[in-house]
Amino acid sequence: METIETSDASLRGQAEIWQHMFSFADSMALKCAVELRIADIINSHGGSITLSQIASSIGSSSPNISYLSRVMRLLVRRKIFAANHDSRGGETLYGLTHSSRWLLRDSELSLAPMILMENHPWLMAPWHCFSQCVKEGGIAFKVAHGKEIWDFALQNPEFNKLFNDGGGIGEMLSEIVKSYPHIKGINFDLPHVIATAPKYDGISHVEGDMFKAAPQADAVIMKWILHDWSDEDCVKILRNCKEAIPEKTGKVIIVDVVLRPDGSGIFDETGLVFDLLMLAHTTGGRERTEQEWKKLLEEGGFPRYNIINIPAFPFIIEAFPQ
């Protein structure tokens, strides 16, 4: 009996290694679905449709339906799409799921631009440099491309657009102002980012460098900013934010990951993956536990903070200078 149990455990271990080895296949199938706008095609029909109907809408005069069916088979297995098989032998009907609705391009909560960005060869290349960086040190993105990500974006308009489509041009601020019109927003970023930012009602775009100074405001909100930088750099940013807000009534709102390595929340594993994402793409960036955030905020001049757990990814941290 012990031999059988050991054998079963070994087989499970082997199966897990195979699964991890080819987990990139899920990402590539997902990227394919986004590039072909499959979720949008299904959504535009108002209900489940056949593979032939999907193929006829992808913008090709000679689509390879065999390719498409095999990609869709995996995505259905992963519950990205739903498949309803006709018991009478008719064509299978494909529909949306709670997951595929996050792939809709025109949705306010779409993850489609980020999928295209994170799975682009430019951003995948640094992941292949991890072992070299463990042995020799260095910055993975720079090892892969010869320059750090911000310089790469500055010198490469195509990459800059890809990066900004994933965020950074004032979309979050525009939604806040849209919901609360009495708020006037300032979208503050580097010149090459501001140059591509669209016009939004109630928002002014300001060029600058957060390491030098920040515009005066009642509050500063930073989404997925501080995780890009080392502790030393974050302290500089936070101190500049402190100088920009009222001492008694001002606050900094940080939208970022709070790592819980042993947590069982639905996004806790995603947080660990994001920490490796910071290794791949940033210079000293990292995701942080609550204790690491506490230390960082105190050094940056914010001794009081409040973590707001929201039913979303990531978290919200309110930090106060008094």
Side-chain angles (χ1 to χ4, degrees):
M1 181 63 72
E2 183 178 348
T3 302
I4 294 174
E5 289 178 355
T6 302
S7 178
D8 287 346
S10 179
L11 284 173
R12 283 194 298 272
Q14 183 189 129
E16 288 173 3
I17 293 299
W18 281 112
Q19 184 176 353
H20 293 314
M21 186 191 309
F22 290 111
S23 60
F24 69 87
D26 293 348
S27 297
M28 294 300 103
L30 192 61
K31 180 186 178 186
C32 173
V34 171
E35 289 177 330
L36 296 177
R37 296 178 177 262
I38 293 174
D40 295 288
I41 291 169
I42 296 172
N43 189 57
S44 67
H45 279 74
S48 299
I49 59 175
T50 66
L51 200 65
S52 300
Q53 288 175 302
I54 295 173
S56 67
S57 301
I58 61 176
S60 170
S61 59
S62 55
N64 190 317
I65 294 183
S66 175
Y67 259 57
L68 179 61
S69 67
R70 290 156 70 181
V71 171
M72 289 298 287
R73 180 168 59 186
L74 179 63
L75 292 173
V76 168
R77 175 79 178 189
R78 296 292 183 258
K79 296 182 172 55
I80 303 298
F81 293 101
N84 298 310
H85 304 286
D86 191 332
S87 59
R88 295 170 295 181
E91 287 192 70
T92 298
L93 295 175
Y94 295 90
L96 300 179
T97 66
H98 291 301
S99 296
S100 49
R101 293 190 182 280
W102 288 86
L103 307 182
L104 297 171
R105 291 293 189 94
D106 295 330
S107 169
E108 292 181 355
L109 299 175
S110 178
L111 287 173
M114 197 159 185
I115 290 167
L116 295 179
M117 179 183 74
E118 295 298 347
N119 289 288
H120 192 284
W122 282 329
L123 287 167
M124 292 297 293
W127 292 84
H128 295 278
C129 303
F130 277 10
S131 59
Q132 181 178 343
C133 291
V134 169
K135 290 178 181 178
E136 304 170 7
I139 300 160
F141 195 94
K142 190 173 182 179
V143 171
H145 296 294
K147 53 179 66 74
E148 295 176 26
I149 191 168
W150 314 115
D151 293 327
F152 193 78
L154 179 62
Q155 299 167 19
N156 186 326
E158 185 181 349
F159 177 78
N160 187 50
K161 182 181 185 307
L162 183 73
F163 193 87
N164 290 337
D165 284 345
I169 52 175
E171 289 183 6
M172 179 184 67
L173 187 58
S174 73
E175 291 301 317
I176 294 173
V177 172
K178 192 185 300 181
S179 299
Y180 303 95
H182 66 281
I183 293 176
K184 301 302 178 185
I186 300 171
N187 180 41
F188 178 66
D189 216 314
L190 293 170
H192 71 276
V193 178
I194 294 300
T196 65
K199 292 183 178 180
Y200 298 109
D201 291 338
I203 293 177
S204 57
H205 296 297
V206 176
E207 298 178 359
D209 184 341
M210 63 185 174
F211 289 104
K212 296 178 180 178
Q216 297 295 303
D218 295 318
V220 174
I221 183 168
M222 294 182 285
K223 181 180 180 183
W224 281 339
I225 299 296
L226 296 183
H227 75 168
D228 287 334
W229 302 97
S230 67
D231 288 356
E232 182 182 357
D233 285 334
C234 284
V235 169
K236 291 178 184 177
I237 296 168
L238 287 168
R239 287 177 178 170
N240 285 336
C241 289
K242 184 181 179 183
E243 292 297 318
I245 60 176
E247 185 177 354
K248 294 184 178 180
T249 60
K251 67 177 176 179
V252 168
I253 304 163
I254 299 164
V255 185
D256 229 318
V257 173
V258 178
L259 270 188
R260 294 171 176 170
D262 300 319
S264 57
I266 59 173
F267 292 117
D268 285 334
E269 285 195 17
T270 306
L272 295 175
V273 173
F274 260 65
D275 188 44
L276 292 189
L277 188 68
M278 296 304 102
L279 275 181
H281 296 162
T282 70
T283 306
R286 62 187 303 135
E287 304 300 351
R288 296 173 172 92
T289 63
E290 181 175 351
Q291 284 304 114
E292 289 170 331
W293 276 116
K294 183 176 184 293
K295 181 175 182 293
L296 198 67
L297 291 170
E298 287 176 348
E299 291 179 4
F302 294 87
R304 191 164 58 90
Y305 71 92
N306 178 39
I307 294 177
I308 303 173
N309 293 311
I310 58 174
F313 181 78
F315 295 80
I316 294 175
I317 304 172
E318 292 181 308
F320 308 91
Q322 284 192 355

